[in-house]
Amino acid sequence: MPEAPTPDPITFAVVKNAMDSIVDEIAYTVIRTARSEIVKDVMDYSAAICDAKGEMVAQAKTIAQHLGAIPEAMAAVQARWGGRLQPGDAVIMNDPYSGGMHLPDIFMFFPVFAEEEVLAWVVVICHHTDVGGRVPGSNAADSTEIFQEGLRIPPLRLYRAGEMDETLEALIGLNVRVPDRVLGDLRAQYAACGVGAREIASLVRRYGAGGLRGHFAALLDYAERMTRAEIKTWPRGTYRFTDHIDSDGLSDDAVRLSVAVTVREDGTLRVDWDGSSPQVRAAINSTLSFTKSNSFLSVRCALRGDIPNNAGVFRCVEVTAPEGSVLNPISPAPVAARALTGYRVMDTMFGALAQIVPEVIPAAGEGGNTVVVLGGRHPDNRPFIIVDMISGCWGGRPDKDGVEAITNPSQNLSNTPVEVLERQHPVRVEEYALVTDSGGPGRFRGGMGLARSYRLLAEEAVMQLRADRVRFGPYGLDGGREGGRAGNWLDGAPVPGKVTGTMRRGQLLRHHQAGGGGHGDPRARDPEAVARDVWNGKVSAEAARRDYAVAVDRRTGILNRAETARLREGERA
């Protein structure tokens, strides 16, 4: 392989921006061609470009939570297929114990050739509606071993020279409940990979294969230099934080996540998860690749926005978790609902990072999206599977309120439109609203949690819930209070946060998501802002008086300045 020339700064910037545009075009292709609403409406997918060694050089504005897992998945692919692939080939895998995350997330790796050698890899990851297993959606929190969770795919060649392998296609189609959606989404992944390969080829024509290799290496080195330079400005030391998951759903024991973040003199970090709970029976275990991914992402969120989003950042962060823990389980531990643990990894990391760079870290958000899965059959016996991922809110920020009805910072999801759910499935959404008083009190209030309800119109459906923050509310920072806690009800009766059961025609499932934690002393909040919250139904008049020492007329929403002054003077006294 010829030596790659050192790129000049102008060309370097042009290529960097070109790579960012290409990965976004890959992502747009997925969303335009996918079959299932979890991809095209919820947008649970991601895209990246890696160099020949498998280091990620560019990522799309999609699910960042996925992308830190690519190095280990890529290593498994190269170990099995290195030197054996041809143009037009594509390899898929979803095995969590070979670098994957959970079985519904199927990776596709597409080699891009130049001068008869692999120059780059296009990677597209999609969360598929179903991959078989004991329950529709293949995402239950109460599975007890990975063999219950669905079709487990090692690195296998799905496409050979542009043609889908008939044997593997038949095997996948027979083992999933909605083969038209699953195979359709796999074809969308392949089409998007082809778009990425086409655009990379145009860069090769312009800069040459050797030139592009040089740019890839320079991009990674540039991100590493910028990351190290910023971390060197952080105060040295070790910073600890602990957060909890309510339980694994099969016992009442809380699941502990404990981290120690050490800032080193050389501009690197050590992230140590020693002290976290042992692996659990239920499916909320997080593989080490996913634990690393969320740890990397948490650090990236605390860095400057102009640092490139590539594997150069990963070089500066060492992540360790004890083998056999909930953050590094031993096979065949179940992992289907591992996303919940990934969200708590980020909450725990943010709690530690708030001690290092408090000016940029928000209070805890809703705790990650809630997953509601309903699976059954239409009157004509056609299967239906609803995989609804409810995105909620952010916690209060150091200088602004939290945001409502928005994706968790670790992702880039969208709430499924009610019209899509009702048009495609036998369900009626009877409530979709913000929950008053759910935002944690603070100088900057936490975002409000969402309420969503589902009336089943089919005869029967398997119901699965993956929710949390019922026992442990999202924490506040700098004197802010915790956000409102989550809750679930079936026909008015409380339902656990992690459960698989049966719904019958006419029953109503209702979920309240947690609100974000507050930031800063609630008594320091501008009374006018509190009055606006009361007028907008975000805070009740009773909570305004109790939490903020602000008097607001509950009927008109008008601030009573004299009474507010008396309340706050009394508090100070």
Side-chain angles (χ1 to χ4, degrees):
M1 184 182 297
E3 186 73 19
T6 302
D8 68 86
I10 302 300
T11 307
F12 173 77
V14 171
V15 172
K16 174 188 176 297
N17 291 329
M19 296 298 293
D20 291 339
S21 297
I22 292 170
V23 285
D24 283 340
E25 187 171 356
I26 295 167
Y28 296 144
T29 303
V30 174
I31 207 170
R32 288 196 297 263
T33 57
R35 293 291 301 277
S36 62
E37 63 260 21
I38 195 171
V39 177
K40 65 184 181 181
D41 294 307
V42 178
M43 299 191 297
D44 193 348
Y45 73 104
S46 56
I49 296 172
C50 298
D51 65 12
K53 295 181 293 185
E55 289 198 86
M56 186 177 70
V57 295
Q59 68 177 66
K61 299 175 182 69
T62 48
I63 304 293
Q65 196 178 42
H66 287 168
L67 297 171
I70 285 177
E72 293 188 37
M74 178 66 79
V77 170
Q78 291 186 321
R80 179 158 185 166
W81 291 100
R84 297 170 55 197
L85 299 176
Q86 303 298 322
D89 289 357
V91 174
I92 61 169
M93 63 87 69
N94 71 351
D95 179 19
Y97 292 101
S98 295
M101 295 176 290
H102 69 159
L103 299 184
D105 284 336
I106 299 180
F107 291 68
M108 182 175 287
F109 296 91
F110 186 105
V112 181
F113 288 82
E115 300 172 351
E116 299 184 353
E117 292 184 339
V118 174
L119 170 70
W121 296 82
V122 179
V123 186
V124 176
I125 308 166
C126 285
H127 182 133
H128 287 259
T129 305
D130 185 81
V131 288
R134 55 181 279 265
V135 291
S138 317
N139 206 27
D142 59 350
S143 296
T144 57
E145 59 178 358
I146 195 170
F147 304 111
Q148 299 171 350
E149 296 181 335
L151 190 62
R152 188 172 170 189
I153 307 171
L156 295 176
R157 181 161 49 190
L158 178 64
Y159 279 87
R160 184 194 294 265
E163 297 294 328
M164 184 180 282
D165 182 277
E166 293 182 357
T167 302
L168 193 50
E169 177 186 12
L171 180 66
I172 293 171
L174 191 62
N175 280 277
V176 302
R177 294 172 177 84
V178 283
D180 57 329
R181 293 191 172 206
V182 173
L183 293 171
D185 286 350
L186 284 170
R187 290 186 172 96
Q189 288 178 252
Y190 186 78
C193 287
V195 168
R198 180 193 70 200
E199 296 304 316
I200 292 171
S202 71
L203 291 182
V204 171
R205 289 192 293 272
R206 185 170 182 178
Y207 301 108
L212 212 50
R213 289 189 190 95
H215 287 297
F216 290 167
L219 274 168
L220 294 167
D221 292 344
Y222 179 62
E224 181 182 3
R225 286 197 306 274
M226 292 185 73
T227 302
R228 282 180 181 270
E230 183 159 353
I231 292 174
K232 283 181 179 180
T233 69
W234 293 0
R236 308 287 183 272
T238 298
Y239 304 85
R240 303 178 187 277
F241 195 82
T242 296
D243 205 346
H244 296 85
I245 297 170
D246 293 340
S247 73
D248 71 350
L250 297 180
S251 77
D252 292 330
D253 298 335
V255 179
R256 173 188 173 96
L257 272 67
S258 184
V259 72
V261 178
T262 301
V263 182
R264 296 162 162 165
E265 291 187 6
D266 63 353
T268 64
L269 301 176
R270 184 170 190 265
V271 177
D272 182 6
W273 290 99
D274 190 25
S276 300
S277 289
Q279 68 184 58
V280 296
R281 286 182 59 220
I284 63 168
N285 298 292
S286 168
T287 59
L288 183 59
S289 63
F290 193 59
T291 299
K292 287 182 176 180
S293 185
N294 284 280
S295 301
F296 295 151
L297 176 57
S298 303
V299 174
R300 179 63 190 89
C301 289
L303 298 170
R304 288 166 39 193
D306 59 349
I307 296 176
N309 295 317
N310 65 41
V313 177
F314 303 167
R315 296 172 178 175
C316 304
V317 185
E318 176 194 358
V319 181
T320 61
E323 188 175 39
S325 70
V326 70
L327 299 178
N328 185 9
I330 299 170
S331 179
V335 296
R338 84 348 172 181
L340 170 60
T341 307
Y343 295 128
R344 201 64 71 253
V345 164
M346 288 202 64
D347 287 343
T348 308
M349 283 289 296
F350 280 177
L353 290 166
Q355 302 167 50
I356 303 171
V357 281
E359 67 278 5
V360 300
I361 301 298
E366 84 290 70
N369 62 36
T370 296
V371 179
V372 177
V373 180
L374 299 175
R377 295 201 169 261
H378 294 279
D380 61 3
N381 206 40
R382 287 182 298 114
F384 72 86
I385 301 177
I386 299 169
V387 183
D388 196 19
M389 296 186 172
I390 307 172
S391 296
C393 62
W394 293 5
R397 293 167 283 178
D399 58 350
K400 295 183 180 68
D401 288 345
V403 189
E404 287 93 21
I406 193 170
T407 183
N408 186 276
S410 67
Q411 302 200 311
N412 195 12
L413 297 179
S414 173
N415 287 321
T416 309
V418 171
E419 297 82 357
V420 171
L421 284 175
E422 294 184 338
R423 173 66 181 84
Q424 298 191 15
H425 307 290
V427 68
R428 183 168 66 237
V429 178
E430 297 190 355
E431 180 184 25
Y432 183 29
L434 298 172
V435 180
T436 300
D437 290 337
S438 58
R443 181 185 178 193
F444 298 105
R445 176 184 46 75
M448 300 167 68
L450 281 177
R452 191 116 141 166
S453 66
Y454 310 79
R455 179 85 64 183
L456 184 64
L457 305 181
E459 287 302 317
E460 186 176 282
V462 175
M463 174 196 74
Q464 300 162 62
L465 281 178
R466 193 211 70 197
D468 203 62
R469 291 296 194 188
V470 177
R471 291 172 61 187
F472 300 94
Y475 60 78
L477 288 176
D478 194 27
R481 300 180 192 168
E482 74 171 36
R485 300 185 184 185
N488 313 283
W489 300 267
L490 183 61
D491 286 345
V495 175
K498 302 168 192 69
V499 67
T500 298
T502 301
M503 278 185 74
R504 292 183 169 81
R505 179 183 290 275
Q507 287 192 298
L508 183 71
L509 174 64
R510 189 167 187 240
H511 171 68
H512 278 192
Q513 203 164 37
H519 199 294
D521 183 358
R523 268 50 174 192
R525 185 166 176 80
D526 181 358
E528 291 284 359
V530 178
R532 285 194 300 272
D533 284 344
V534 173
W535 172 251
N536 287 318
K538 296 185 175 184
V539 175
S540 67
E542 293 76 14
R545 178 178 287 266
R546 179 187 68 237
D547 297 329
Y548 296 97
V550 172
V552 182
D553 186 287
R554 66 171 53 88
R555 183 176 59 84
T556 65
I558 295 175
L559 173 66
N560 185 328
R561 297 180 183 277
E563 178 67 8
T564 295
R566 284 193 294 271
L567 287 172
R568 291 197 163 181
E569 185 60 35
E571 294 249 341
R572 283 191 290 271

